[in-house]
Every structure is written in structure tokens, then in C-alpha cells.
């Protein structure tokens, strides 16, 4: 009876707690971080690292467009961006570096980061730094456009006050900025390796098969000669 009561209490608690945690507000750094609109953005495509691709610029614009059109639906305001031609006029500064591991104060293991400067509960500026690639094993791999766009969307989400989501399908899930999970180039390369390896394995098997058959034939003909010889003697 006591066990039944306990089970019932647990069940009731579970029913009550679940909707509460599901309805828990989206993690935000600030609800509405900018005290003005449009939010000005400067994209530094002049001081770029060696492996910068000019197509990255478009990915930043697409990432901005994503949030202007509602993004992941978690903003309580409608952001509007305006590109400006200098860093001094910009609320958000976007720049690229070759590899974030070489940037001293960058967080570990990320492909990009957003650093907002908060004064009296509002952002006065936010710096977005994106790397153009990273080391995968021994070789350095450049990020493709899709990667760059997803990383940029994520960092702009931070620049609009959002924190990290636990939902894997949400753009604010930290996966989008973690290096380990965002390299289609590596996947493509592993794929190539696999094709080459299966090719080699196939060639070796073919060779073994052919030489086995060849040797079998040779054995057969030797045997035939010997047995034929014996037959003759009989
Ligand atoms: Zn993040």
C-alpha cells in the first residue's frame, strides 16, 4: 500500500514537473539586447586569413537574413540588420581568422565565437570571430560554405541574446560551433579513402583469385600429363 502511494506521488510529480520543464523559457543571455534598430554590422572582408573564401561573405548575409525572417522562432523581437563600411559604426563586427586555436583568448574547440560587451543590461557591441578551417588529424581542412553559414547563424543567435539550446535540431545547439561535428570536407575525404581502400582490396582479391585459378590450371595440366602418362603405360 505504501509502495502504491509512493508510486502515485512520483507519477503525479512527474506529470506536473514535465510540462513545467518543457515550457521552461529558452536559454537567453538577454531578452532584447539591442536598444535600437537596425543593428549595424561590419563584415571585415579586407583583413582576411590565407584560406578565406570570398563566398563566405554571402554566408554571413544569409545568416543575417535567417534571423530577420524569424530564425529559430525564439526571439521576442524582430531584428533588422544594416551593413556598414567601418568597424567604428558597427554594433556587430564579423571577422575571420585562419585557426582559432592560435587566437589566445578564444574558447577551446570552437569554430567561431561571439563576444558581446554588456553595459547596463544592453549590448553595446558584439564581436564575432570565425575560423576558416581547422586541423583534422594531420591535415588542415577548410570549411565549406554550408558550414560557414551554419556557424554564422549560430554566432548571430548569440549576438541577438540567445544562449545554447539542448535541442539537437536547434541552430543554438552548441554542435554548430564545435569543430568535431562540422566538417563535410573530412567526410568527403574519408569517403574517398574508403573508395581507394575498397579498390585496393578488390584488386588484391582479383589478383589472388586469378593466380589461384592460374595455379590450379597449371596443377591440372601437370597432373593430366602425369596421369595421361600413367594411362599410356597401362
Ligand atoms: Zn554558441
Amino acid at each position: 500500500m505504501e509502495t502504491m502511494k509512493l508510486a502515485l506521488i512520483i507519477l503525479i510529480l512527474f506529470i506536473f514537473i514535465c510540462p513545467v520543464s518543457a515550457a521552461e523559457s529558452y536559454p537567453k543571455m538577454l531578452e532584447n539586447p539591442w536598444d535600437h534598430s537596425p543593428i549595424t554590422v561590419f563584415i571585415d572582408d579586407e583583413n582576411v586569413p590565407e584560406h578565406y573564401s570570398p563566398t563566405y561573405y554571402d554566408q554571413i548575409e544569409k545568416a543575417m537574413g535567417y534571423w530577420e525572417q524569424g530564425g529559430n522562432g525564439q526571439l521576442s523581437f524582430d531584428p533588422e540588420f544594416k551593413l556598414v563600411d567601418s568597424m567604428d559604426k558597427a554594433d556587430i563586427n564579423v571577422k575571420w581568422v585562419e585557426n582559432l586555436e592560435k587566437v589566445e583568448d578564444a574558447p577551446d574547440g570552437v569554430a567561431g565565437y561571439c563576444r558581446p560587451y554588456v553595459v547596463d543590461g544592453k549590448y553595446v557591441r558584439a564581436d564575432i570571430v570565425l575560423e576558416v578551417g581547422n586541423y583534422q588529424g594531420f591535415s588542415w581542412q577548410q570549411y565549406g560554405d554550408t558550414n560557414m553559414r551554419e556557424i554564422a547563424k549560430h554566432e548571430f543567435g548569440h549576438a541577438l541574446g540567445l544562449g545554447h539550446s539542448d535541442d539537437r535540431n536547434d541552430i543554438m545547439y552548441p554542435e554548430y560551433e564545435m569543430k568535431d561535428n562540422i566538417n563535410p570536407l573530412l567526410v568527403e575525404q574519408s569517403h574517398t579513402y574508403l573508395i581507394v581502400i575498397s579498390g585496393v582490396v578488390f584488386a588484391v582479391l582479383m589478383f589472388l583469385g586469378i593466380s589461384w585459378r592460374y595455379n590450379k590450371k597449371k596443377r591440372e595440366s601437370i597432373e593430366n600429363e602425369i596421369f595421361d602418362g600413367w594411362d599410356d603405360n597401362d
Side-chain angles (χ1 to χ4, degrees), residues 112 154-155 158 164 172-174 177:
H154 179 98
E155 301 310 335
H158 286 317
H164 282 152
M172 295 315 290
Y173 186 77
E177 66 194 359

Side-chain angles (χ1 to χ4, degrees), residues 130-149:
L130 308 161
E131 64 177 7
V132 296
N134 75 288
Y135 287 97
Q136 291 284 351
F138 295 109
S139 64
W140 190 87
Q141 296 284 332
Q142 184 175 3
Y143 294 141
D145 284 348
T146 311
N147 261 347
M148 189 53 75
R149 189 170 63 247

Side-chain angles (χ1 to χ4, degrees), residues 116-128:
Y117 297 83
V118 186
V119 176
D120 297 332
K122 289 282 177 188
Y123 286 180
V124 288
R125 197 183 117 198
D127 291 336
I128 292 177

Side-chain angles (χ1 to χ4, degrees), residues 10-225:
I10 289 170
L11 189 74
I12 290 166
L13 276 177
F14 190 74
I15 290 165
F16 276 94
I17 289 165
C18 275
V20 170
S21 55
E24 196 185 301
S25 65
Y26 195 87
K28 287 180 182 177
M29 298 193 268
L30 285 177
E31 193 64 38
N32 188 348
W34 300 99
D35 64 2
H36 59 271
S37 185
I39 303 158
T40 53
V41 179
F42 174 62
I43 305 172
D44 189 353
D45 63 343
E46 297 259 321
N47 305 299
V48 290
E50 194 190 338
H51 291 93
Y52 170 79
S53 158
T55 56
Y56 289 165
Y57 192 99
D58 303 338
Q59 308 317 313
I60 303 300
E61 288 194 302
K62 282 177 185 165
M64 287 158 58
Y66 167 79
W67 288 108
E68 283 178 329
Q69 282 148 34
N72 64 353
Q74 298 296 340
L75 294 176
S76 56
F77 60 103
D78 298 318
E80 206 189 305
F81 295 108
K82 186 179 172 244
L83 286 173
V84 291
D85 57 10
S86 96
M87 203 173 151
D88 311 326
K89 298 177 199 162
D91 296 317
I92 300 174
N93 274 292
V94 181
K95 73 164 186 169
W96 286 274
V97 294
E98 190 75 359
N99 195 303
L100 273 176
E101 260 149 52
K102 290 173 192 156
V103 177
E104 243 171 60
D105 54 352
D108 277 347
V110 299
Y113 69 87
C114 171
R115 182 158 296 149
Y117 297 83
V118 186
V119 176
D120 297 332
K122 289 282 177 188
Y123 286 180
V124 288
R125 197 183 117 198
D127 291 336
I128 292 177
V129 181
L130 308 161
E131 64 177 7
V132 296
N134 75 288
Y135 287 97
Q136 291 284 351
F138 295 109
S139 64
W140 190 87
Q141 296 284 332
Q142 184 175 3
Y143 294 141
D145 284 348
T146 311
N147 261 347
M148 189 53 75
R149 189 170 63 247
E150 296 309 299
I151 302 165
K153 278 184 193 171
H154 179 98
E155 301 310 335
F156 266 87
H158 286 317
L160 295 171
L162 298 182
H164 282 152
S165 166
D166 301 334
D167 179 1
R168 281 191 154 269
N169 300 314
D170 193 293
I171 191 68
M172 295 315 290
Y173 186 77
E175 185 171 45
Y176 284 108
E177 66 194 359
M178 303 310 286
K179 289 171 180 179
D180 299 344
N181 303 309
I182 51 156
N183 206 326
L185 283 175
L186 183 76
V187 175
E188 274 165 32
Q189 205 187 39
S190 325
H191 206 71
T192 318
Y193 283 146
L194 277 178
I195 291 167
V196 170
I197 288 168
S198 7
V200 168
V201 168
F202 184 71
V204 167
L205 286 176
M206 282 291 283
F207 174 73
L208 290 176
I210 289 165
S211 59
W212 180 80
R213 283 170 65 121
Y214 174 71
N215 285 328
K216 194 180 167 217
K217 268 198 181 140
K218 215 161 96 178
R219 265 198 322 273
E220 273 169 3
S221 59
I222 291 169
E223 276 163 5
N224 284 342
E225 265 172 43

